[in-house]
Amino acid sequence: MSRRLEPEEIEFTKKINMIYFSEELSFEEAVREYRRIEEEFVARAGDNEHHVVETRRRITEWILTEALDCEQPQEVCREIWEEMLQRGFSDVMNRYVMSGIYARCCQMNGEFDEGLAVIEPLIAESEQALADTTLTPYMREYYEHELASDRKIRDELKAGDRGDTEEEEPEPDSTRTTRPSLKFVRRTSDLFRHSEAKNMSFEEELREMRRIEAECVQRAVDGGWDVLDTQRRILQSILRRALDRRAPLDVCREIWEEMLQRGFSDPDRRLLESSIYARCCQLHGAFEEGLAILEPLIPEAEQALAESTLPEPYRRDYEDFLQRQRELRDELKAGIRK
């Protein structure tokens, strides 16, 4: 998506989030809202075919995710999946992510062979890609991560394991998700909506977020989810909230140091979260600290992009992402405080 449409992209995301994080909407009501947003932004795109196609793809992705969270029957999930196959995937990464979500839908509904038919070709692709000695470090790390995840899903499908969604009684505040990191996002979203009315300080919010985090991590342990991945995703949300609330630098730094200890799932995530902390540094005038973290990562990402064979439009999106990091770097060098 081009940079001039970034404000519209932000508006699209906000409207989607209002639906996804709502506790009041049923699945059917949520789908109607997603379709309404689809019509609105397709109309805005006019004759820009790329934006029309990508808008439709994003909507289908959200509806499929919603179907898994709301534990919809297989025929509902399958209809959404077939729509996704018709609309296509923006890039190989989206294909892997959404295929994994549909395989989980199959697992949840006991359609193990159907899930295997989706996930096993991805495993073969990843194994073949990793056998290529010219694969860039970035893409190698990506395929290794996906391979481990897909093998876990495959093994559960072969074992006839429906996962924790079949027997678990949903909690009142998490009826539309079973994933611990999404549960954290949903519960903290509700917390943030009420914190202003209650005049809560960030320190009070942080204590509540840490309490919710402990519950969600335990949920990951009990449910057999990836605990480290859950911890990482939760901490990313906490760091972003610290920036939004303009938390003191020593508080942001403590969160950042914890994030470094837990590590990052891939190089892109490391660059993204580093830029969030660099903005915390910029906010407080700690320009050299922000530069020391962000500046070394930009050449690494530029080299990885130059050596990669990423398809369009993912390459354009990634170039835009890199440009935003360069702009932040230049602001830190210039001592611009925001």
Side-chain angles (χ1 to χ4, degrees):
M1 195 170 289
S2 65
R3 288 182 57 76
R4 67 184 177 86
L5 290 178
E6 187 174 340
E8 190 161 321
E9 181 184 10
I10 292 171
E11 183 182 354
F12 176 85
T13 302
K14 285 182 177 179
K15 291 190 174 187
I16 289 293
N17 285 341
M18 287 180 64
I19 300 169
Y20 189 69
F21 294 136
S22 171
E23 296 292 343
E24 290 77 26
L25 297 176
S26 67
F27 174 74
E28 292 75 15
E29 291 169 334
V31 170
R32 284 196 292 271
E33 289 300 306
Y34 285 127
R35 294 302 187 189
R36 182 185 61 76
I37 293 174
E38 178 180 4
E39 291 179 6
E40 175 186 346
F41 281 85
V42 164
R44 289 192 191 189
D47 59 358
N48 189 323
E49 185 62 26
H50 169 69
H51 291 300
V52 170
V53 170
E54 288 304 304
T55 297
R56 294 194 187 283
R57 287 172 174 169
R58 295 290 83 74
I59 292 295
T60 308
E61 289 168 5
W62 280 104
I63 293 176
L64 183 63
T65 303
E66 194 84 50
L68 176 61
D69 289 348
C70 296
E71 301 181 22
Q72 291 299 294
Q74 185 64 17
E75 57 268 22
V76 174
C77 300
R78 186 180 293 121
E79 183 177 351
I80 302 166
W81 177 245
E82 289 172 353
E83 178 182 89
M84 181 163 292
L85 292 177
Q86 292 172 358
R87 293 182 169 184
F89 304 94
S90 301
D91 52 67
V92 65
M93 296 181 182
N94 270 40
R95 181 163 61 91
Y96 272 71
V97 170
M98 302 316 300
S99 296
I101 289 175
Y102 182 62
R104 288 294 189 193
C105 292
C106 296
Q107 179 184 13
M108 172 182 69
N109 288 301
E111 298 292 341
F112 304 116
D113 288 341
E114 186 173 351
L116 283 169
V118 171
I119 212 71
E120 286 188 324
L122 301 184
I123 293 173
E125 284 183 25
S126 294
E127 290 173 338
Q128 183 177 359
L130 288 168
D132 184 355
T133 58
T134 64
L135 196 65
T136 66
Y138 163 72
M139 291 306 295
R140 182 168 298 280
E141 187 169 353
Y142 170 76
Y143 279 117
E144 286 173 348
H145 179 270
E146 289 301 317
L147 184 59
S149 175
D150 291 342
R151 281 173 173 168
K152 182 178 186 295
I153 298 173
R154 178 200 60 191
D155 293 346
E156 291 173 2
L157 289 167
K158 285 188 173 182
D161 179 4
R162 287 191 181 219
D164 72 343
T165 58
E166 179 185 31
E167 300 178 355
E168 182 182 61
E169 287 294 327
E171 299 177 27
D173 61 355
S174 61
T175 55
R176 297 177 69 196
T177 179
T178 57
R179 283 173 286 176
S181 57
L182 283 179
K183 178 185 177 185
F184 177 86
V185 171
R186 183 157 293 159
R187 291 185 62 182
T188 53
S189 177
D190 184 66
L191 167 67
F192 302 155
R193 283 198 298 269
H194 294 91
S195 64
E196 184 175 349
K198 295 179 179 179
N199 199 28
M200 291 176 65
S201 67
F202 175 73
E203 289 72 19
E204 291 172 318
E205 281 190 359
L206 183 57
R207 284 195 294 272
E208 184 64 14
M209 283 191 286
R210 290 299 193 180
R211 186 186 65 78
I212 297 171
E213 176 188 23
E215 294 178 7
C216 293
V217 169
Q218 186 59 52
R219 182 187 180 93
V221 172
D222 295 340
W225 296 90
D226 187 326
V227 175
L228 180 58
D229 182 65
T230 298
Q231 291 174 320
R232 286 170 172 168
R233 290 177 182 272
I234 288 173
L235 200 57
Q236 290 159 10
S237 297
I238 293 175
L239 182 63
R240 288 189 179 93
R241 185 60 177 177
L243 176 61
D244 291 342
R245 289 299 306 270
R246 305 174 74 88
L249 184 57
D250 59 338
V251 174
C252 298
R253 186 180 292 123
E254 184 176 344
I255 299 168
W256 173 248
E257 289 173 353
E258 185 178 351
M259 185 172 287
L260 291 176
Q261 291 174 358
R262 292 181 181 177
F264 304 93
S265 56
D266 56 65
D268 281 352
R269 183 62 60 181
R270 181 176 55 143
L271 178 56
L272 176 60
E273 299 308 323
S274 296
S275 70
I276 299 297
Y277 181 62
R279 289 205 179 277
C280 294
C281 295
Q282 180 185 28
L283 174 69
H284 294 287
F287 305 117
E288 294 299 328
E289 183 176 355
L291 272 173
I293 290 165
L294 182 65
E295 194 168 26
L297 301 180
I298 295 175
E300 291 180 17
E302 290 171 337
Q303 182 177 357
L305 180 63
E307 294 174 350
S308 74
T309 57
L310 294 177
E312 297 289 355
Y314 185 78
R315 175 175 289 275
R316 277 200 311 277
D317 291 342
Y318 196 79
E319 288 172 347
D320 285 349
F321 168 69
L322 271 177
Q323 181 57 31
R324 289 193 291 272
Q325 309 319 310
R326 295 186 194 106
E327 290 169 359
L328 173 57
R329 176 200 59 196
D330 294 343
E331 290 173 0
L332 289 167
K333 285 184 174 181
I336 298 175
R337 193 166 179 168
K338 290 187 174 180

